[in-house]
Amino acid sequence: MRDYDFKMIEKKWQKRWSDERIYRAGRTPERKYYVLEMYPYPSGDLHMGQFRNYLIGDVIARFRMMNGYEVLHPFGWDAFGLPAENAAIQRGIDPETWTMKNIEVSRNTIKLMGISYDWEREVTTCLPEYYRWTQWVFLLLYRRNLAYRKKAYVNWCPSCQTVLANEQVVDGNCERCKTQVTKTDLKQWFFRITEYAEKLLAGLDGLTQWPEPVKILQRNWIGKSEGCEIDFDIKKMNKKISVFTTRPDTIYGVTFMAVAPENPLAMELARHGGREAEVGEYIDRSMRISEIERASTVREKDGVYTGTNCINPFSGKEVELWVADYVLASYGTGMVMGVPAHDQRDFEFAKKYDIPIKVVINQSGEKLDPGSMDEAYVEPGVMVNSDMFDGHDSQRAIEEIIDYCSKKGMGRRKTNYRLRDWLISRQRYWGAPIPMIHCEKCGVVPVPVDELPVLLPREDVDFAPRGKSPLASVPRFMNVKCPECGGDAQRDPDTMDTFVCSSWYHLRYSDARNDKAPFGRVEGASWLPIDEYIGGIEHACGHLIYFRFITKVFHDEGMLSCEEPCFRLFNHGMITDEEGNVMSKSKGNALPVGPFVEKWGADTGRIAMLFIGPPAKESAWSERGTLGAHRVLKRIWKAVWQAMFENTQEIDIETLKPEELTLLRKYHWAIDRVSRDIKEYGHNTAIAAIMELLNEMQAHDDKGSVVYAVAAKGLVQLLAPFAPHMCEELWREAVGQGESVFRSDWPEVDRAVLREETIILPVQVNGRVRARIEVPVESTEEEVKSAALAEENVRKHVSRAGVKKIVVVPEKIVSIVS
Ligand code: ANZ
Ligand code: ZN
């Protein structure tokens, strides 16, 4: 037996795998499996904590390879963005040099860990060969009328003379110079994601293998609400205003109206009411508060009267028009009808300014007295003080009133979404230039597709923020000829949000070197959708909505057959230090990979990382874990070398000694466990099963037996996805195989050996049998539950709200309440 010389082994196989291109994905696979981990931002070197999701994905990719799939497991870099620009400003290196250096360092670190990426498909979003197609995506959206320009408010620091991102505004002040931030309006590019609100919402129902929390976050983010718009006449002004409400049943309780400060109507009403000064001052003040603070339920509501009134179309009563900053300009019509008796925000507002409170909905049987209310009554009930609707059930009256409004021409049915269009312009240098040209004569003209990419200028750029895009001061870049009239024109000086780059990278991987199109139709159809996508939950409402949106646009363009980018999403837990702080460079507790691998080897790091706990849960990294993992590998190394692989007779169960049968059973049990656990993200328990098999082998006296050899050979295969280098070495040198272990067939469970009995259990959903499942008698409760929930017909009957309760009566029935 040789020593376990991990340094030699890891170096040797990393080179061989790369030379033999064993991770290379084909063009049009027959039986495909696409495993993807969210790509990183190259801000320096990658540390150990960041490897968890890459390792989780790597095990799955290798497992699928051994199960006869053609696997696509690619990698890339989210390489545009602010940190590169800041580093450039601070250290005087240009952003590209800084970024490419980080990529180089991180790539080597990944290679050290032996992850099965197909480097021939690597994408780097800041390179022209990639961002050319990001620009193409922009033009695609423009052509489909999904990209448009409008004025929008942005955070503005009057001292730095620059636009600030939300995260650069701290307590209303500029992060850098502490000056109070104001708002300014700039013409900016938007993607019309709201056009896809309904599709994005409906699509969630089909994503049965997405974590429920992500879907809930997306549903709330899209925030569909159904109601109506009601029109009010403004007094002594030939003008109507409309408000969006989900509670038209409270229309008789309106005692004031409120307009958002940004709404141009606010000043118009103030002028009409002769209160320009007061209102103007109020607007200035409220522009300094962020939307988040404004929408906060705890902040005291305030506002100012415009001096103008309007008429309730139902009651004919006159009410005051106010400006209030709890009204959001970007939602509904940027106006609300104030119903203090039945809306808490309106209640607080009315209390503060002594506005009347009129109760129009009573709890059945009980009469509410406005004087004694200390909060709004928001529940449904019976309508009162509402003319012809008195006595009606308020819930039903919502529909009646909407119909009545439409019939009388006083309003219309309306569905609103919280989702806003996606602001993609950035007044920054380090991003993909927006491929548009501004011509005095022709207006806004797209750059012709065959002139892409619009290259980011590398020299003579002043990155320091000066209140406009850095590109605006590079004449070489800005001055162009108009593609339409040939006259002098200007480029758009803005760059795109980096979330645009990542909204389509999963598509590029299907055909990463294509220089005629973002990807080929055939390649896209062959590889997409992603089979498993692994990353953090923090992207639930950003990237994970954007990439669904862009995928749907490609689908509608006829370039993709799938409508969703991926059907299975996994959110991994974070790696922390022993005190429970998330491992990160900024916290100073990041474990560098290079020295670790030097000391312990990549395989030890991989086992330690994957054995640390369930992949979905947060887990603490420890020295002890590393030591334990290293010892296990050494034991396995020894146990495998002890086997006599020349013994290849067929095993006849009938003639086996009891000790041999025990080992053989354990082996088949381990195959079953490891296979199931890898599919269900139980990487840690899969390793535990391999360790149980190892214990059984070590307890086995006759290391020369055929059964021992069979178990040892199988163990090498089962462990290969987790500790690929050591297993490849054992496979070729100890077991004596000529081809890579990753080209071998995953071992098969022999149920006859397991002698596993199964039973059939009925599965009820809300009291009715919807399926029958066959499960092993020894299944745990969790296994029975997940088998039940995996049934197609069960899923169909579990309502959108999900599972409320699930009860397993052992060996009898599974009952689900939904
Ligand atoms: C009158 C009313 C009475 C309302 C009542 C609620 C309760 P969702 O469900 O989130 O869509 N609203 C409308 N536009 C607004 C804006 N631009 N800024 C702030 N609030 C706005 O909320 C719809 C409700 O939010 C609407 O229904 C409106 O208040 C308010 F007892 O109208 B409601
Ligand atoms: Zn022109």
Side-chain angles (χ1 to χ4, degrees):
M1 186 187 85
R2 309 176 196 168
D3 273 346
Y4 173 39
D5 179 356
F6 59 81
K7 267 186 210 164
M8 180 279 285
I9 292 171
E10 293 179 0
K11 208 172 266 150
K12 166 176 154 193
W13 288 111
Q14 284 170 10
K15 175 152 191 332
R16 286 273 293 273
W17 290 330
S18 158
D19 291 348
E20 291 167 16
R21 298 159 102 181
I22 72 161
Y23 308 128
R24 187 160 176 247
R27 196 174 85 93
T28 54
E30 254 165 39
R31 190 164 173 246
K32 68 105 184 175
Y33 211 84
Y34 182 1
V35 183
L36 186 62
E37 298 103 46
M38 290 179 188
Y39 66 177
Y41 180 79
S43 61
D45 195 3
L46 294 169
H47 62 74
M48 211 60 172
Q50 283 166 296
F51 268 85
R52 191 181 209 182
N53 66 332
Y54 308 145
L55 288 173
I56 295 168
D58 193 41
V59 168
I60 294 169
R62 292 177 185 274
F63 168 73
R64 292 290 166 179
M65 256 178 241
M66 296 170 78
N67 277 275
Y69 290 86
E70 281 188 60
V71 171
L72 172 57
H73 190 210
F75 202 73
W77 311 96
D78 191 13
F80 274 137
L82 216 52
E85 217 168 295
N86 290 341
I89 294 165
Q90 279 157 23
R91 300 174 222 184
I93 333 167
D94 88 294
E96 178 165 331
T97 310
W98 185 82
T99 306
M100 296 310 284
K101 208 181 110 249
N102 290 339
I103 289 177
E104 166 113 27
V105 171
S106 302
R107 191 195 292 116
N108 286 334
T109 300
I110 290 181
K111 289 186 174 173
L112 275 185
M113 289 297 281
I115 301 195
S116 62
Y117 293 130
D118 176 359
W119 289 104
E120 293 174 44
R121 293 182 189 238
E122 179 182 18
V123 303
T124 304
T125 60
C126 68
L127 296 181
E129 64 185 45
Y130 184 87
Y131 72 67
R132 165 180 183 188
W133 301 111
T134 304
Q135 292 171 337
W136 188 97
V137 170
F138 180 100
L139 294 177
L140 168 69
L141 271 84
Y142 184 75
R143 179 156 54 73
R144 296 186 66 84
N145 193 25
L146 293 169
Y148 67 94
R149 219 156 75 105
K150 75 163 185 211
K151 272 198 169 173
Y153 283 96
V154 289
N155 301 311
W156 175 259
C157 172
S159 142
C160 299
Q161 286 281 301
T162 186
V163 171
L164 300 176
N166 281 337
E167 50 279 15
Q168 297 173 295
V169 182
V170 179
D171 299 328
N173 299 326
C174 170
E175 173 189 61
R176 220 167 329 178
C177 73
K178 313 289 178 239
T179 309
Q180 192 162 60
V181 171
T182 60
K183 296 263 167 74
T184 185
D185 57 351
L186 278 185
K187 264 207 161 175
Q188 314 232 45
W189 285 100
F190 286 83
F191 283 169
R192 215 185 295 278
I193 189 171
T194 52
E195 179 106 3
Y196 279 72
E198 196 53 51
K199 281 188 181 176
L200 288 167
L201 199 57
L204 287 174
D205 294 338
L207 301 180
T208 52
Q209 300 201 69
W210 275 41
E212 209 47 47
V214 173
K215 291 197 281 181
I216 292 170
L217 285 166
Q218 292 207 353
R219 276 195 195 103
N220 292 340
W221 187 258
I222 296 167
K224 180 177 183 171
S225 71
E226 289 168 294
C228 69
E229 273 177 13
I230 303 180
D231 304 331
F232 287 65
D233 277 317
I234 301 178
K235 221 174 152 214
K236 294 190 220 136
M237 206 172 163
N238 188 19
K239 202 172 174 113
K240 271 186 201 304
I241 55 174
S242 311
V243 292
F244 171 71
T245 178
T246 48
R247 296 288 308 274
D249 54 320
T250 63
I251 182 74
Y252 289 90
V254 176
T255 54
F256 71 98
M257 303 280 282
V259 181
E262 295 91 340
N263 192 327
L265 199 64
M267 271 324 276
E268 200 181 328
L269 295 169
R271 236 171 275 132
H272 184 68
R275 288 177 52 86
E276 262 180 285
E278 293 89 334
V279 172
E281 193 211 331
Y282 176 78
I283 292 175
D284 281 349
R285 198 151 26 91
S286 53
M287 294 299 237
R288 291 189 214 111
I289 308 172
S290 77
E291 285 229 343
I292 298 158
E293 276 175 78
R294 280 170 52 180
S296 152
T297 48
V298 292
R299 210 174 71 84
E300 191 174 311
K301 312 275 166 293
D302 63 16
V304 61
Y305 176 44
T306 61
T308 301
N309 295 348
C310 67
I311 314 287
N312 183 330
F314 276 76
S315 65
K317 294 249 160 62
E318 185 172 330
V319 292
E320 293 182 346
L321 269 160
W322 286 64
V323 179
D325 68 6
Y326 74 91
V327 183
L328 303 175
S330 55
Y331 189 66
T333 62
M335 250 176 271
V336 300
M337 57 184 220
V339 186
H342 305 293
D343 180 284
Q344 187 58 26
R345 295 166 304 179
D346 299 346
F347 182 84
E348 288 164 28
F349 192 79
K351 278 276 181 198
K352 177 161 176 182
Y353 294 107
D354 268 334
I355 294 171
I357 297 175
K358 185 180 169 195
V359 171
V360 292
I361 301 200
N362 266 342
Q363 210 161 350
S364 21
E366 233 178 278
K367 242 181 137 173
L368 292 164
D369 163 28
S372 64
M373 286 167 83
D374 48 16
E375 60 179 9
Y377 176 73
V378 298
E379 305 294 323
V382 181
M383 290 175 69
V384 291
N385 298 326
S386 300
D387 289 352
M388 56 185 169
F389 296 98
D390 279 354
H392 288 212
D393 171 81
S394 69
Q395 210 109 62
R396 233 170 308 142
I398 292 179
E399 281 301 306
E400 291 168 16
I401 292 179
I402 295 176
D403 288 342
Y404 187 84
C405 272
S406 319
K407 224 171 48 220
K408 298 271 166 171
M410 297 175 344
R412 60 216 68 84
R413 185 177 297 277
K414 176 88 191 181
T415 300
N416 263 327
Y417 298 88
R418 291 258 153 216
L419 184 69
R420 299 273 71 95
D421 276 341
W422 175 12
L423 196 171
I424 60 112
S425 305
R426 294 290 178 275
Q427 290 72 44
R428 289 286 167 183
Y429 166 74
W430 192 232
I434 292 177
M436 299 300 272
I437 291 168
H438 303 275
C439 168
E440 251 174 46
K441 230 167 82 200
C442 315
V444 185
V445 182
V447 172
V449 169
D450 57 11
E451 284 174 26
L452 297 180
V454 175
L455 284 175
L456 203 52
R458 293 285 314 277
E459 271 113 45
D460 313 322
V461 186
D462 178 5
F463 312 117
R466 299 254 185 269
K468 52 181 184 180
S469 305
L471 291 178
S473 31
V474 184
R476 227 166 9 94
F477 174 81
M478 289 302 287
N479 298 331
V480 281
K481 295 290 175 216
C482 169
E484 262 170 33
C485 68
D488 288 342
Q490 300 265 292
R491 286 198 189 281
D492 198 294
D494 289 354
T495 55
M496 284 185 247
D497 179 6
T498 55
F499 281 112
V500 178
C501 311
S502 56
S503 69
W504 76 281
Y505 81 120
H506 59 296
L507 306 176
R508 181 68 177 167
Y509 283 135
S510 71
D511 191 13
R513 300 280 90 88
N514 193 328
D515 60 2
K516 306 273 180 311
F519 59 91
R521 253 168 247 258
V522 174
E523 289 83 353
S526 300
W527 283 115
L528 283 142
I530 303 163
D531 293 279
E532 299 196 48
Y533 195 25
I534 303 161
I537 193 167
E538 68 275 14
H539 295 291
C541 295
H543 165 65
L544 290 172
I545 286 194
Y546 298 141
F547 94 135
R548 292 184 59 218
F549 164 51
I550 296 298
T551 302
K552 287 177 187 299
V553 174
F554 272 101
H555 169 83
D556 292 350
E557 177 70 9
M559 288 182 66
L560 263 186
S561 42
C562 58
E563 282 187 59
E564 287 287 343
C566 101
F567 284 106
R568 191 158 192 221
L569 174 71
F570 180 75
N571 298 128
H572 64 276
M574 300 306 276
I575 292 295
T576 68
D577 60 20
E578 286 185 89
E579 278 78 56
N581 305 305
V582 171
M583 210 186 255
S584 83
K585 240 174 294 168
S586 60
K587 290 226 178 67
N589 62 358
L591 183 65
V593 176
F596 180 94
V597 169
E598 183 66 25
K599 182 163 175 206
W600 296 101
D603 282 340
T604 293
R606 295 170 60 109
I607 297 288
M609 177 64 80
L610 293 167
F611 192 56
I612 200 168
K617 296 259 157 62
E618 184 178 288
S619 307
W621 182 265
S622 77
E623 261 308 297
R624 226 164 351 104
T626 303
L627 204 64
H630 199 66
R631 285 207 192 110
V632 167
L633 288 183
K634 279 183 152 162
R635 277 170 59 202
I636 292 174
W637 176 262
K638 191 164 152 212
V640 172
W641 276 104
Q642 283 176 309
M644 310 284 275
F645 292 104
E646 332 49 272
N647 281 344
T648 54
Q649 304 99 288
E650 281 276 314
I651 295 174
D652 177 4
I653 303 178
E654 302 301 316
T655 65
L656 288 183
K657 292 187 225 124
E659 194 206 33
E660 289 173 323
L661 193 57
T662 309
L663 177 55
L664 194 64
R665 282 225 173 104
K666 191 82 213 176
Y667 168 53
H668 283 277
W669 169 85
I671 302 173
D672 190 40
R673 225 11 312 170
V674 173
S675 314
R676 277 195 283 160
D677 286 352
I678 293 177
K679 287 186 202 158
E680 294 308 321
Y681 291 94
H683 294 51
N684 57 325
T685 47
I687 296 174
I690 294 171
M691 279 154 60
E692 272 193 52
L693 172 59
L694 172 66
N695 290 341
E696 199 65 55
M697 282 167 63
Q698 290 189 314
H700 190 78
D701 288 328
D702 183 5
K703 306 282 195 275
S705 72
V706 181
V707 171
Y708 188 88
V710 166
K713 181 177 170 190
L715 184 148
V716 171
Q717 290 178 293
L718 297 181
L719 186 68
F722 300 89
H725 310 88
M726 185 180 94
C727 291
E728 185 78 299
E729 178 76 7
L730 286 172
W731 186 250
R732 310 244 198 164
E733 301 299 327
V735 185
Q737 299 284 319
E739 251 210 307
S740 170
V741 66
F742 300 106
R743 294 270 173 270
S744 72
D745 292 331
W746 189 254
E748 241 175 78
V749 185
D750 186 342
R751 301 266 161 205
V753 174
L754 265 186
R755 266 213 331 241
E756 194 173 62
E757 285 172 55
T758 60
I759 45 165
I760 297 190
L761 291 178
V763 183
Q764 283 188 344
V765 179
N766 295 334
R768 293 191 53 184
V769 175
R770 297 298 183 184
R772 283 169 210 282
I773 51 170
E774 186 175 356
V775 289
V777 178
E778 294 91 27
S779 303
T780 64
E781 192 171 322
E782 282 312 308
E783 286 165 343
V784 174
K785 283 180 183 173
S786 65
L789 291 172
E791 281 296 309
E792 185 77 30
N793 200 42
V794 169
R795 273 204 209 129
K796 231 171 59 199
H797 286 94
V798 170
S799 72
R800 257 231 233 153
V803 175
K804 285 218 187 72
K805 200 167 146 196
I806 172 162
V807 180
V808 178
V809 185
E811 303 188 19
K812 292 235 156 55
I813 196 167
V814 183
S815 169
I816 299 172
V817 180
S818 134

